[in-house]
Amino acid sequence: MSEYLPGLAGVPATKSNISDIDGEKGVLYYRGYPIEQLAKHSSFEETSLLLLDGELPTTAKLAEFDSQLRENRQVKYHIRELMKALPATGHPMEMLQTAVASLSMFYPGNECLTSTEMCEDLNYIHNMTVKIIARMGTIVAMWQHLRHGYEPPVPREDLTYAENFLYMLNREEPDPLLAHIMDVCLILHAEHTINASTFSALVTASTLSSPYSVITAAIGTLSGPLHGGANQRVLEMLNDIGSPDKAEAYVDEKLANKQVIWGMGHREYKTKDPRAIILQGLVAELMEARGGDVNPLMEIALEVERVVEDRLAHKGVYPNVDFYSGILYHEMGIPADQFTAIFAISRTAGWLAHWREQLADNRIFRPTQMYIGSEPREFVPIGRR
Amino acid sequence: MSEYLPGLAGVPATKSNISDIDGEKGVLYYRGYPIEQLAKHSSFEETSLLLLDGELPTTAKLAEFDSQLRENRQVKYHIRELMKALPATGHPMEMLQTAVASLSMFYPGNECLTSTEMCEDLNYIHNMTVKIIARMGTIVAMWQHLRHGYEPPVPREDLTYAENFLYMLNREEPDPLLAHIMDVCLILHAEHTINASTFSALVTASTLSSPYSVITAAIGTLSGPLHGGANQRVLEMLNDIGSPDKAEAYVDEKLANKQVIWGMGHREYKTKDPRAIILQGLVAELMEARGGDVNPLMEIALEVERVVEDRLAHKGVYPNVDFYSGILYHEMGIPADQFTAIFAISRTAGWLAHWREQLADNRIFRPTQMYIGSEPREFVPIGRR
């Protein structure tokens, strides 16, 4: 038996072509392309197809994928009715897990994979992938209205993924710069090697469960506070701080008490998270475009950033992708409890790329345990215990 | 880096006190007690508490747990309304995954675990455990009526878990022998070390996600045809065979073509699955009590069993737990597509015992990957691809 390593830390659980991290240099690659280049030149639609297929698509392939995504944005009205039956107080991640689990009932023919032919049927896999990615944004945006008692807007086919998502959230066409920022956020969150939620997707996929089950499991795993959810906490922290002049004392007190400052540092990167650098640039761009007329929390965030970099940069701790995505989403008027759901929309592209890779060379995940429990013993009748 | 072992086969992923298998001798222990003794002397309620707490309960503790289970059988009528919004054609496992995911919205205060105090709060953990186990049977039984357009019966507090489940399924108090058989089936399926669904529960639990998310993920993983679902396929196979005189030719043809005969063999056991031996005894008991007046499929099953034992026993292949549970559930009038959902009801006790164990010594599951993809490369504009 191999050595027991808690959390399987350092244990290779899969061979993968999809993404790679160079933590020393602070580089993240999707299919070999540095994330900076994708953020600059690509779109969420193109990046999704790159993650899924392994290559940057031709004009024709991208156009086909994009139009499939647009056509599949609608969800059946029965799903809307189901969502109306959910308590308005529920967290968007709980709603998302429930709604995605229900999709396999609403769209039959996509149940468990029952043969090796199905695992190798790239048409089937592609179609499932399109349908799930397309509907994630719709479901998250619909909930924003349904939970307040209003009918959600109908998705539009004439907008990009990012534009339509913001349109559905706010019932108006988004400012082009904000739509661009959302598109970049979706690119940056789409994939990050084999973290807990992606691993969870692989384990569920390995029994040839349906892709809806795979994404449902991954959403549940992402929802845990040790994984997703940090960007929501960044916003709560900024609200706690209250004003820019209190940021320095807040950070120093947290550091002195060895408490968490949300949105700081990342175990994979010894230097600054490359995604954070990109988002930091977008924050600056937005500040400039607005002539400084941004949400008050932005000023608190910039002050927290300054203090943290001053105190912790020499230890390799910098604001991470969650820090900046939180303040950018807030600037778009998105409530903090939706942030992890947006992460899930984007990461669905990566999860499904890993699903496809798992099916291509599947082996059920069945590790062993170290049994450390009781020796065999005799049952004792209840009267004699 | 450790060696890459596909499916993590042979890699210890956890230390566990809960159950142990001696595959050479064909023995399964829950907390040190051989499964035969639990099947003979215990109940599903007592066995669940044993799995969760580690010790056989005193009379007072068992009475308290049992009454908590009875009190928590009801689900809110909003959950019934949500289930009514689900397509009647959906598989019970898809329904169960959706309904369990929704529970965390209907019962707030049970969201993600946000502190180490929560992970160590045995009251919180116990209460969550009771509520989830109690409601699993209710939800599965309700679906049997809702999917046919009828209001489900209200759960009864004066019956045992197994009795109430059969009462809710059939709207009448069960025959005592059938209720006993159901109770034994629930005991036998409650736990089986770290298989794919239990491992999936651990991975989801490790981000401190809610227990509802943990069970939702495990249900999805169990639903895959490489894991649960074999007992449903046993019934479909028996229907395919059609009559006892065709069983021999059917088995021999499958063997000659190296095709699967459902419900035969188990990778963990070199000898007969101890759970199968227990269920085989119950089949005989039921045959005798009925004076042979059983469902026609039973005769086909007994003939398949005879032929398989004749052809394969020397290779260590025998009918397994799925073979016998399928024919027993069928004899209770339960439709085959509900069999895996019954497995899930029972296994929830084991999943939650592992959830508790994971929280007591948590480390997020974050294995590594072997990156075998493209070297770093430059983005190519779409016009030049």
Side-chain angles (χ1 to χ4, degrees):
Chain A
M1 198 193 273
S2 325
E3 187 189 355
Y4 169 61
L5 295 162
L8 294 170
V11 176
T14 190
K15 290 184 184 177
S16 183
N17 283 306
I18 302 170
S19 65
D20 193 25
I21 297 168
D22 183 333
E24 295 292 334
K25 292 191 192 153
V27 191
L28 169 62
Y29 301 98
Y30 291 176
R31 301 286 191 179
Y33 297 105
I35 192 71
E36 291 79 7
Q37 295 189 15
L38 295 170
K40 193 162 181 183
H41 303 298
S42 188
S43 62
F44 176 59
E45 290 86 339
E46 185 183 64
T47 297
S48 297
L49 199 51
L50 169 68
L51 288 169
L52 295 162
D53 284 354
E55 296 298 331
L56 284 170
T58 59
T59 307
K61 271 210 161 179
L62 177 59
E64 189 193 2
F65 181 66
D66 186 36
S67 80
Q68 288 170 332
L69 282 177
R70 289 170 194 245
E71 285 160 15
N72 282 285
R73 270 178 200 157
Q74 287 243 28
V75 296
K76 291 185 180 179
Y77 59 75
H78 283 115
I79 294 170
R80 193 182 62 217
E81 296 311 302
L82 177 120
M83 290 170 69
K84 285 183 187 175
L86 294 172
T89 48
H91 192 279
M93 286 295 277
E94 300 174 311
M95 174 287 300
L96 191 59
Q97 198 183 30
T98 305
V100 172
S102 82
L103 290 180
S104 65
M105 304 181 79
F106 286 108
Y107 298 98
N110 314 311
E111 299 90 349
C112 298
L113 284 73
T114 51
S115 65
T116 47
E117 287 77 36
M118 251 178 124
C119 297
E120 288 158 13
D121 182 343
L122 291 185
N123 266 336
Y124 160 78
I125 290 170
H126 180 80
N127 287 338
M128 292 304 306
T129 301
V130 164
K131 288 178 182 180
I132 296 175
I133 295 174
R135 288 166 188 153
M136 293 292 288
T138 304
I139 291 169
V140 172
M142 282 170 69
W143 181 244
Q144 190 52 30
H145 303 282
L146 289 168
R147 66 172 166 170
H148 292 117
Y150 296 103
E151 288 294 340
V154 173
R156 276 172 51 178
E157 291 192 22
D158 62 323
L159 301 176
T160 68
Y161 198 104
E163 286 167 354
N164 178 64
F165 178 62
L166 287 175
Y167 161 73
M168 286 190 71
L169 274 180
N170 299 321
R171 288 189 198 276
E172 57 178 29
E173 286 190 34
D175 169 90
L177 177 56
L178 291 181
H180 169 65
I181 293 173
M182 175 55 75
D183 191 46
V184 173
C185 286
L186 294 175
I187 292 172
L188 298 183
H189 286 86
E191 165 64 13
H192 207 247
T193 75
I194 177 172
N195 43 54
S197 61
T198 301
F199 183 44
S200 161
L202 295 183
V203 174
T204 299
S206 80
T207 69
L208 305 187
S209 179
S210 82
Y212 295 113
S213 280
V214 170
I215 301 302
T216 299
I219 291 167
T221 308
L222 180 65
S223 72
L226 297 189
H227 190 357
N231 49 12
Q232 173 174 351
R233 280 149 209 279
V234 167
L235 250 283
E236 292 162 0
M237 176 182 79
L238 297 177
N239 272 313
D240 276 357
I241 295 174
S243 68
D245 59 305
K246 293 182 185 152
E248 185 156 4
Y250 180 93
V251 169
D252 285 335
E253 196 193 322
K254 289 281 174 191
L255 291 177
N257 295 324
K258 296 189 191 303
Q259 288 178 307
V260 173
I261 305 172
W262 293 103
M264 299 297 151
H266 193 293
R267 74 193 277 280
E268 301 281 352
Y269 297 103
K270 310 260 176 273
T271 176
K272 198 160 183 176
D273 180 339
R275 302 167 299 175
I277 297 171
I278 295 164
L279 292 184
Q280 194 178 19
L282 291 172
V283 168
E285 203 175 319
L286 186 64
M287 291 288 280
E288 194 181 314
R290 294 276 175 86
D293 180 21
V294 291
N295 202 295
L297 287 187
M298 184 70 91
E299 288 180 32
I300 304 175
L302 294 176
E303 182 61 9
V304 169
E305 174 195 348
R306 189 192 65 75
V307 178
V308 167
E309 294 225 4
D310 180 67
R311 307 290 197 271
L312 296 174
H314 68 283
K315 291 187 179 173
V317 177
Y318 298 89
N320 64 30
V321 65
D322 296 315
F323 185 77
Y324 294 106
S325 62
I327 58 180
L328 285 165
Y329 295 152
H330 181 65
E331 195 59 35
M332 295 174 198
I334 303 172
D337 69 352
Q338 288 273 27
F339 294 175
T340 314
I342 299 175
F343 186 169
I345 293 171
S346 162
R347 185 58 55 87
T348 295
W351 289 332
L352 289 170
H354 284 276
W355 171 62
R356 177 168 158 175
E357 197 173 65
Q358 180 69 28
L359 292 184
D361 187 20
N362 189 54
R363 174 93 177 251
I364 189 170
F365 276 97
R366 222 163 359 188
T368 59
Q369 64 174 23
M370 293 180 67
Y371 181 67
I372 54 167
S374 169
E375 289 294 301
R377 49 183 170 167
E378 289 289 312
F379 188 86
V380 180
I382 195 160
R384 289 202 273 119
R385 288 175 205 158
Chain B
M1 199 194 272
S2 324
E3 187 188 356
Y4 170 61
L5 295 162
L8 294 170
V11 176
T14 190
K15 289 184 183 179
S16 184
N17 283 306
I18 302 169
S19 66
D20 192 26
I21 297 169
D22 183 334
E24 295 293 333
K25 292 188 191 152
V27 192
L28 169 63
Y29 303 97
Y30 291 176
R31 301 284 190 181
Y33 297 106
I35 192 72
E36 292 79 7
Q37 295 189 17
L38 295 170
K40 195 163 181 184
H41 303 298
S42 189
S43 62
F44 176 59
E45 290 86 339
E46 185 182 65
T47 296
S48 297
L49 199 51
L50 169 68
L51 288 170
L52 293 163
D53 284 354
E55 297 297 333
L56 285 169
T58 60
T59 307
K61 271 211 160 179
L62 177 58
E64 188 194 1
F65 181 67
D66 186 34
S67 81
Q68 287 170 332
L69 282 176
R70 289 170 196 245
E71 286 159 15
N72 282 285
R73 268 176 202 158
Q74 287 241 28
V75 296
K76 291 185 180 178
Y77 59 74
H78 283 116
I79 294 171
R80 193 182 64 218
E81 296 311 303
L82 177 119
M83 290 170 68
K84 285 183 185 173
L86 293 172
T89 48
H91 193 279
M93 286 295 277
E94 299 175 311
M95 175 287 300
L96 192 59
Q97 198 184 30
T98 305
V100 172
S102 82
L103 290 180
S104 65
M105 304 182 79
F106 286 108
Y107 298 98
N110 313 310
E111 299 91 347
C112 298
L113 284 73
T114 50
S115 65
T116 47
E117 288 77 38
M118 252 179 124
C119 297
E120 287 158 12
D121 182 345
L122 292 184
N123 267 335
Y124 160 78
I125 290 170
H126 179 82
N127 287 339
M128 291 306 306
T129 301
V130 164
K131 287 178 183 180
I132 296 175
I133 294 174
R135 289 167 187 153
M136 292 291 289
T138 305
I139 291 170
V140 172
M142 281 170 68
W143 181 243
Q144 190 53 31
H145 303 281
L146 288 168
R147 66 172 166 169
H148 292 117
Y150 296 103
E151 289 293 339
V154 173
R156 276 172 51 178
E157 291 193 21
D158 62 323
L159 301 174
T160 68
Y161 198 105
E163 286 167 354
N164 178 65
F165 178 63
L166 287 174
Y167 160 73
M168 285 192 70
L169 274 180
N170 300 320
R171 288 189 196 276
E172 56 179 29
E173 286 189 34
D175 169 271
L177 178 57
L178 292 182
H180 169 65
I181 293 173
M182 176 54 76
D183 191 45
V184 174
C185 287
L186 293 175
I187 292 172
L188 298 183
H189 286 86
E191 166 62 13
H192 208 246
T193 75
I194 176 173
N195 45 54
S197 61
T198 301
F199 183 45
S200 161
L202 295 183
V203 174
T204 299
S206 79
T207 68
L208 306 186
S209 179
S210 84
Y212 296 113
S213 279
V214 170
I215 301 304
T216 299
I219 291 167
T221 307
L222 180 64
S223 72
L226 297 189
H227 191 357
N231 50 12
Q232 172 174 351
R233 280 149 210 276
V234 168
L235 250 283
E236 291 162 0
M237 175 182 80
L238 297 176
N239 272 314
D240 276 357
I241 295 173
S243 69
D245 59 305
K246 293 182 186 153
E248 186 156 4
Y250 179 92
V251 170
D252 285 335
E253 195 193 323
K254 288 282 175 192
L255 292 177
N257 295 324
K258 298 190 189 303
Q259 288 177 306
V260 174
I261 305 172
W262 293 103
M264 300 297 153
H266 194 293
R267 74 192 279 280
E268 301 281 352
Y269 297 104
K270 310 261 176 273
T271 177
K272 199 161 181 175
D273 180 339
R275 301 167 299 173
I277 297 171
I278 296 165
L279 292 184
Q280 194 178 22
L282 291 172
V283 168
E285 203 176 317
L286 186 64
M287 292 289 278
E288 196 180 313
R290 295 276 174 89
D293 179 22
V294 290
N295 201 296
L297 287 189
M298 184 71 92
E299 290 181 29
I300 304 175
L302 295 175
E303 183 63 8
V304 170
E305 174 195 347
R306 189 193 64 75
V307 179
V308 167
E309 295 225 2
D310 180 69
R311 308 290 197 272
L312 297 175
H314 69 281
K315 291 188 180 174
V317 177
Y318 299 89
N320 62 30
V321 65
D322 296 315
F323 185 78
Y324 295 105
S325 62
I327 59 182
L328 285 165
Y329 294 152
H330 182 66
E331 195 60 33
M332 295 175 197
I334 302 172
D337 69 352
Q338 288 273 28
F339 295 175
T340 314
I342 299 175
F343 186 169
I345 292 171
S346 163
R347 184 58 55 88
T348 296
W351 289 332
L352 289 170
H354 284 276
W355 171 61
R356 177 169 158 174
E357 198 173 64
Q358 179 71 27
L359 292 184
D361 187 19
N362 189 55
R363 173 94 178 250
I364 190 169
F365 277 97
R366 223 165 354 188
T368 59
Q369 63 174 22
M370 294 180 68
Y371 181 68
I372 53 166
S374 168
E375 290 293 302
R377 47 183 170 166
E378 288 288 313
F379 188 87
V380 180
I382 195 159
R384 289 202 273 119
R385 287 176 204 156

